């Protein structure tokens, strides 16, 4: 029986040998596949003069930064905030005086006239129609209007505009979180697809080597015809998953490039790995802990205290909740504005006017000009508006109730999302450790099958079965790491805000729970 130290040494030797022989095995696999009829036809269909695509090195942090810099929804959110700020300036302008200048020049081609009563005709030389004005008429005025008191209209309008600005800013933060999650998920999908390609390439290379040994054994009479046919068929079957994995990798890279604003054709070189992202410091480690061993359940489950801390952090940090709270406050201001429509208004008004009448000159003489000026207070008291104010109040109150109900609904949905994401993360963390053990076991079984085959104690069929089990275990491990990373990103999205800050705060909360 092997000791644990000897087993680890064998594992390291096996992995090193696989890494050293992988290029040669891939070359042998390519040669064997090309030698087959369908492989040669596929090789001739490739374009030998296709230019290589530009390679762009991309890690997770840069991918998120590019996505945030190029996302169209974020730009729309910026435009919404700018529009809300403009609405605030428009509402605040009602507190300042309004000054208007107007002028009107008229050329009296036919002068207006008025008619006198018949008893006045004798005093006017018998004429009862008298023309008015002169050939040119000029009217000009400068007017000022200043709202002194509006029964709360201006204050409510300004308050509503400010709340809408805050709501737009928090909505921008919510879109930022969503874009960050989309970029992270796309990057993780691309990493998983690349890992599947590498696993499929290794499986193809290993199957090609098994076919080579089977042919040699069949020539020597130690391998049956059936085992040789099984190895040939297995090699053909290994090509299809590799093609599918490469196509899936291209699809995920196209999606990632689209989110990052990189125009195709572009070839991405992902510098992170699923294992490196999963084992990032802070927060949840590979064993399923949360930075404090006493607050996790069996199998890496996240304890209730940490979940409650996540829910509390969500209510304090969620941009969507903050945006809706400000929308509710804006609705309250809208109700106050609608009620203020029943109150009186007081305005300060002033006017300076110029009037001139002249005939043939270009400009009127001083005797033909006159000025006027006046200032006063205008009070307007609404008596009856056809129930317009009451309808406005009812509509504003209904919209406020709708916003309040939406806030309550979103609060419950966000709490549900946090608890579901926590459970998904617990499941992913629990599965991750088991998948690692499965890969180690499958690797050892494959090594033993190869040793037994070399010593004549096993058949190539047993080695192929062990290789298939190892490939499946490696794929499942990659999928588990992908699920773990994606679940962590989902927890950060559900809580809201920067994921690094959330994980640090979560770790501190879990540590405090251990100290109690």
């Amino acid at each position: 029986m092997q000791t644990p130290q000897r087993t680890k040494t064998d594992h390291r030797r096996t992995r090193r040998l696989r890494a050293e022989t992988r290029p040669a095995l891939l070359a042998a696999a390519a040669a064997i596949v090309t030698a087959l009829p369908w492989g040669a036809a596929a090789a001739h269909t490739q374009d030998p003069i296709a230019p290589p695509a530009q390679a762009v090195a991309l890690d997770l942090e840069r991918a998120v930064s590019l996505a945030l810099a190029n996302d169209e929804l974020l730009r729309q959110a910026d435009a919404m905030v700018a529009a809300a700020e403009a609405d605030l300036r428009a509402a605040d302008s009602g507190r300042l005086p309004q000054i208007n200048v107007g002028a009107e020049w008229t050329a009296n081609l036919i002068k207006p006239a008025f008619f006198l009563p018949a008893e006045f005709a004798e005093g006017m030389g018998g004429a009862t129609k008298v023309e008015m004005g002169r050939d040119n008429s000029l009217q000009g005025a400068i007017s000022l209007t200043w709202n002194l008191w509006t029964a709360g209209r201006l204050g409510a309008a300004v308050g509503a505009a400010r709340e809408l600005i805050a709501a737009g800013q928090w909505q921008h933060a919510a879109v930022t979180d969503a874009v960050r999650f989309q970029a992270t998920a796309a990057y993780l999908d691309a990493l998983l697809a690349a890992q599947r390609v590498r696993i499929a390439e290794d499986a193809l290379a290993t199957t090609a080597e098994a076919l080579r040994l089977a042919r040699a054994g069949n020539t020597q009479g130690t391998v049956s015809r059936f085992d040789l046919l099984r190895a040939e068929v297995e090699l053909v079957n290994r090509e299809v998953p590799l093609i599918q994995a490469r196509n899936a990798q291209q699809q995920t890279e196209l999606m990632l490039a689209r989110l990052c604003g990189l125009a195709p054709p572009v070839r991405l070189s992902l510098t992170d790995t699923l294992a490196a992202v999963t084992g990032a410091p802070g927060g949840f480690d590979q064993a399923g802990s949360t930075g404090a061993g006493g607050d996790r359940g069996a199998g890496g489950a996240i304890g209730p205290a940490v979940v409650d801390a996540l829910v509390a952090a969500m209510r304090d940090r969620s941009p969507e909740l903050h945006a809706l709270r400000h929308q509710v406050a804006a609705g309250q201001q809208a109700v106050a504005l609608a009620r203020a429509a029943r109150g009186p208004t007081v305005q300060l008004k002033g006017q300076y006017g110029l009037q001139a009448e002249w005939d043939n000159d270009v400009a009127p003489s001083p005797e033909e000009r006159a000025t006027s000026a006046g200032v006063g207070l205008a009070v307007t008291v609404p008596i009856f508006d056809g129930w317009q104010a009451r309808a406005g109040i009812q509509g504003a109150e209904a919209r406020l109730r709708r916003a309040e109900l939406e806030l309550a609904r979103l609060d419950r949905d966000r709490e549900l999302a946090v608890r579901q994401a926590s459970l998904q993360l617990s499941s992913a963390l629990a599965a991750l450790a088991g998948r690692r053990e499965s890969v180690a076991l499958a690797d050892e079984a494959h090594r033993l099958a190869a040793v037994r085959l070399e010593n004549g104690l096993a058949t190539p069929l047993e080695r192929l079965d062990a290789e298939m089990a190892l490939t499946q275990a490696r794929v499942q491990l990659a999928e588990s790491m992908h699920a773990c990373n994606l679940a962590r990103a989902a927890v950060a999205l559900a809580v809201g805000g920067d994921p690094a800050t959330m994980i640090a705060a979560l770790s501190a909360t879990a540590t405090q729970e251990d100290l109690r």
Side-chain angles (χ1 to χ4, degrees), residues 317-328:
R317 297 159 52 90
S318 174
E320 292 179 291
L321 286 179
H322 280 289
L324 268 179
R325 290 180 185 127
H326 284 287
Q327 289 182 4
V328 169

Side-chain angles (χ1 to χ4, degrees), residues 24-34 201 204-206 208-209 235:
L25 293 179
L26 286 176
I32 294 175
V33 172
T34 305
E201 290 175 348
L204 179 64
T206 304
E209 175 65 10
L235 179 64

Side-chain angles (χ1 to χ4, degrees), residues 167-180:
Q169 292 171 343
W170 281 109
Q171 189 63 35
H172 182 278
V175 176
T176 300
D177 288 350
V179 172
R180 183 185 293 113

Side-chain angles (χ1 to χ4, degrees), residues 75-96:
R75 297 177 185 176
Q76 293 179 14
D78 290 334
M80 292 179 61
V81 173
E85 291 174 346
D87 292 339
L88 173 60
R89 292 191 295 270
D92 203 29
S93 65
R95 294 176 172 176
L96 300 176

Side-chain angles (χ1 to χ4, degrees), residues 32-157:
I32 294 175
V33 172
T34 305
L36 297 176
W38 58 269
H44 286 298
T45 59
Q46 296 180 354
D47 186 4
I49 61 174
Q54 179 184 3
V56 177
L58 201 65
D59 58 7
L60 178 58
E61 183 178 358
R62 189 186 177 203
V64 173
S65 299
L66 289 175
L68 293 176
N70 294 280
D71 188 76
E72 293 82 2
L73 292 178
L74 272 178
R75 297 177 185 176
Q76 293 179 14
D78 290 334
M80 292 179 61
V81 173
E85 291 174 346
D87 292 339
L88 173 60
R89 292 191 295 270
D92 203 29
S93 65
R95 294 176 172 176
L96 300 176
Q98 306 294 317
I99 301 176
N100 298 308
V101 177
E104 179 181 355
W105 170 78
T106 303
N108 294 317
L109 302 179
I110 299 176
K111 299 177 182 178
F114 68 93
F115 295 88
L116 298 174
E119 55 270 21
F120 294 161
E122 184 177 355
M124 298 295 295
T128 59
K129 183 176 71 171
V130 180
E131 291 184 346
M132 298 174 55
R134 299 188 179 181
D135 294 339
N136 298 284
S137 175
L138 176 65
Q139 302 285 337
I142 300 177
S143 62
L144 178 144
T145 304
W146 195 350
N147 292 316
L148 300 180
W149 187 58
T150 60
R153 291 177 177 85
L154 292 178

Side-chain angles (χ1 to χ4, degrees), residues 263-280:
V266 61
R267 184 168 58 87
L268 301 180
S269 176
L270 307 183
T271 59
D272 281 331
T273 63
L274 286 173
V277 177
T278 304

